[in-house]
Amino acid sequence: MQEPLLGAETPDYDTFPERPPPAPGDRAQIRKPQNRRVFLATFAAVLGNFSFGYALVYTSPVIPILERHLDPALRLTQVQSSWFGSVFTLGAAAGGLSAMLLNDLLGRKLSIMVSAVPSATGYALMAGARGFWMLLLGRTLTGFAGGLTAACIPVYVSEISTPRVRGALGATPQLMAVFGSLSLYALGLQLPWRWLAAAGEGPVFVMTLLLSFMPNSPRFLLSKGRDEEAMRALVWLRGPHTDVRWEFAQIQDNVQQQSSRMSWAEARDPHVYRPIAIALLMRFLQQLTGITPILVYLQSIFDRTAVLLPPQDDAAIVGAVRLFSVLIATLTMDLAGRKVLLFVSGYAMGWGPITWLLMSEILPLRARGVASGLCVLASWLTAFALTKSFMLAVNNFGLQVPFFFFAAICLVNLVFTVCCVPETRGRSLEQIEAFFRTRRRSFLR
């Protein structure tokens, strides 16, 4: 099922060989990269995913409350509930579209920080809502922020990480999103719906504060000709006593080879469109598993079942199981490999965290900012269609029909994983890009 990503070298193929051993006189100055600062920068960034996960499932405990609200201006009909639940995904699609521009214009770090403005505004609107339009606008703005961070954070994390820890760190965006959802479910047991929205402001503030002290991606800085700043960023990330010259040279060479703007003719080259097509299909198929409507309407779904516990308790249990599963994926991704986990595990251990990581790994550098935004746009437009129609389908056909459809999609995902998804474990981003440039058929096995 799985072959090594990179094969033997040929005259026209450079696998970016392992770093040569240092000269005897240099060995005293060389240390292994220190990951503590990379962990700190990753934590600062993925707080945006915490807010994303929190905002995504905000409607789960709130819709049942608002459907019975005493104030007619806030009481939701079935149609209004479907819009309140699904409009978040439209905002996320718009955020992904914006990321296509902001990712390469402002850089990954600043784009994440910009998301704090619509996020904080959206939470404030929902906390102080006096009518349905304020709920919709607040939900749309938090969705926009979520779509922007969903496109920018995986790219930022992958570009500052070393191959040894990139798998584990690449799973942290999904881990934090799941933790954010669990936090919402837990707080929903205690807090009124307005205070649930107000509590969402805290992680946004902490994220912005911490990121202001973090460096930008060295790859982005080099793409903008800011070489000295890129070197300082890399030294900060790897530790002051680490020799980063070899890594810096490899990144610099890769950036220089792709410094010009990509033309439409180049976009038709297989080494460009194949990884983009794989990433797009992963995002599309991930959403077709039904994860977004299930999370958005989780408490309403449990209302329709014969479970013994109260629906809000069941939702919290689901959140805890998801968190545990993503944590296992985070710890095993660099040991088992991405493809194996996609094939043998469920959503929270496989198609949740790994598709975001693979997207950031396989997209070519010259198209990474635009392509990641395109992937998020396609993902959340699909999520909107499913979320808007889910409760209508349930009301007309029952729960079993949409869930049978989701099960069929999971079978399609297995075939897609076997045939199309490459294994990227332990490889640098430059090596992965060189792999697609060979046009070999082995990556389809």
Side-chain angles (χ1 to χ4, degrees), residues 372-393:
S372 63
L374 182 63
C375 289
V376 172
L377 174 64
S379 174
W380 290 108
L381 286 178
T382 306
F384 170 73
L386 287 174
T387 309
K388 186 69 176 69
S389 59
F390 178 78
M391 290 306 295
L392 297 176

Side-chain angles (χ1 to χ4, degrees), residues 329-397:
T330 303
L331 298 175
T332 60
M333 197 177 299
D334 283 319
L335 298 174
R338 285 71 155 141
K339 191 167 182 174
V340 171
L341 286 178
L342 277 179
F343 189 76
V344 303
S345 63
Y347 180 88
M349 285 182 61
W351 279 83
I354 294 177
T355 51
W356 287 111
L357 171 62
L358 278 170
M359 180 193 78
S360 65
E361 289 182 324
I362 67 177
L363 292 177
L365 176 63
R366 291 176 64 186
R368 192 168 294 157
V370 173
S372 63
L374 182 63
C375 289
V376 172
L377 174 64
S379 174
W380 290 108
L381 286 178
T382 306
F384 170 73
L386 287 174
T387 309
K388 186 69 176 69
S389 59
F390 178 78
M391 290 306 295
L392 297 176
V394 169
N395 291 333
N396 287 299
F397 306 108

Side-chain angles (χ1 to χ4, degrees), residues 1-55:
M1 182 179 70
Q2 177 179 324
E3 291 186 356
L5 176 64
L6 301 174
E9 293 185 21
T10 62
D12 61 344
Y13 176 51
D14 179 11
T15 61
F16 295 92
E18 294 296 324
R19 172 178 162 177
D26 295 336
R27 289 178 181 170
Q29 284 76 35
I30 296 177
R31 302 286 189 276
K32 290 182 179 180
Q34 300 298 308
N35 292 314
R36 287 176 296 180
R37 292 179 176 179
V38 174
F39 295 158
L40 178 60
T42 298
F43 174 74
V46 298
L47 281 172
N49 291 96
F50 179 96
S51 184
F52 168 76
Y54 187 97

Side-chain angles (χ1 to χ4, degrees), residues 2 53 62 69 95 125 162 164 172 189 226 235 240 264 272 279 288 296 313 317 356 369 388 390 406 434:
Q2 177 179 324
V62 172
H69 204 281
L125 281 169
T162 60
R164 180 174 296 180
T172 55
L189 299 175
R226 295 151 64 179
V235 169
W264 283 109
V272 174
L288 284 182
V296 167
D313 293 346
I317 291 172
W356 287 111
K388 186 69 176 69
F390 178 78
F406 299 150

Side-chain angles (χ1 to χ4, degrees), residues 64-398:
I65 295 173
L66 293 182
E67 286 179 337
R68 301 186 296 267
H69 204 281
L70 296 178
D71 186 349
L74 293 173
R75 189 184 308 128
L76 301 182
T77 65
Q78 276 193 356
V79 174
Q80 288 175 326
S81 294
S82 70
W83 276 109
F84 187 42
S86 62
V87 77
F88 179 94
T89 58
L90 281 183
L97 189 64
S98 300
M100 296 171 66
L101 173 66
L102 296 179
N103 230 343
D104 290 328
L105 181 65
L106 299 180
R108 292 58 159 134
K109 187 189 85 165
L110 286 180
S111 297
I112 299 169
M113 295 177 71
V114 164
S115 72
V117 176
S119 184
T121 305
Y123 282 128
L125 281 169
M126 290 189 291
R130 291 292 180 268
F132 181 58
W133 71 269
M134 294 181 72
L135 292 171
L136 278 189
L137 181 57
R139 185 89 170 127
T140 304
L141 287 174
T142 54
F144 180 89
L148 184 57
T149 56
C152 299
I153 292 174
V155 175
Y156 177 73
V157 172
S158 70
E159 289 187 347
I160 66 173
S161 304
T162 60
R164 180 174 296 180
V165 298
R166 194 176 63 242
L169 294 185
T172 55
Q174 182 70 12
L175 179 66
M176 288 298 286
V178 172
F179 185 49
S181 298
L182 175 60
S183 299
L184 187 282
Y185 293 139
L187 289 175
L189 299 175
Q190 304 294 330
L191 295 180
W193 64 274
R194 292 187 186 276
W195 281 104
L196 274 180
E201 303 278 8
V204 177
F205 173 76
V206 177
M207 177 198 73
T208 307
L209 180 64
L210 288 179
L211 272 180
S212 63
F213 296 101
M214 300 299 114
N216 216 320
S217 159
R219 287 174 176 82
F220 167 76
L221 294 172
L222 282 170
S223 71
K224 297 300 181 182
R226 295 151 64 179
D227 292 20
E228 292 185 5
E229 189 177 348
M231 175 59 85
R232 290 197 299 270
L234 193 59
V235 169
W236 189 91
L237 289 166
R238 302 293 181 257
H241 301 296
T242 303
D243 186 353
V244 300
R245 291 172 295 178
W246 183 85
E247 182 182 2
F248 184 83
Q250 293 299 316
I251 298 173
Q252 192 173 44
D253 288 345
N254 186 255
V255 170
Q256 288 174 353
Q257 291 172 11
Q258 306 183 62
S259 57
S260 60
R261 186 178 296 274
M262 182 177 292
S263 65
W264 283 109
E266 290 176 295
R268 293 195 294 269
D269 193 299
H271 88 268
V272 174
Y273 74 71
R274 283 178 180 173
I276 293 176
I278 291 172
L280 276 170
L281 281 171
M282 281 194 301
R283 303 303 309 135
F284 177 67
L285 290 172
Q286 186 212 41
Q287 287 295 347
L288 284 182
T289 62
I291 187 63
T292 298
I294 290 172
L295 293 178
V296 167
Y297 301 118
L298 189 57
Q299 191 166 318
S300 298
I301 291 172
F302 279 120
D303 276 333
R304 296 170 178 265
T305 63
V307 293
L308 298 178
L309 295 174
Q312 59 269 29
D313 293 346
D314 290 315
I317 291 172
V318 170
V321 172
R322 289 182 66 219
L323 180 63
F324 179 71
S325 299
V326 176
L327 184 59
I328 293 176
T330 303
L331 298 175
T332 60
M333 197 177 299
D334 283 319
L335 298 174
R338 285 71 155 141
K339 191 167 182 174
V340 171
L341 286 178
L342 277 179
F343 189 76
V344 303
S345 63
Y347 180 88
M349 285 182 61
W351 279 83
I354 294 177
T355 51
W356 287 111
L357 171 62
L358 278 170
M359 180 193 78
S360 65
E361 289 182 324
I362 67 177
L363 292 177
L365 176 63
R366 291 176 64 186
R368 192 168 294 157
V370 173
S372 63
L374 182 63
C375 289
V376 172
L377 174 64
S379 174
W380 290 108
L381 286 178
T382 306
F384 170 73
L386 287 174
T387 309
K388 186 69 176 69
S389 59
F390 178 78
M391 290 306 295
L392 297 176
V394 169
N395 291 333
N396 287 299
F397 306 108

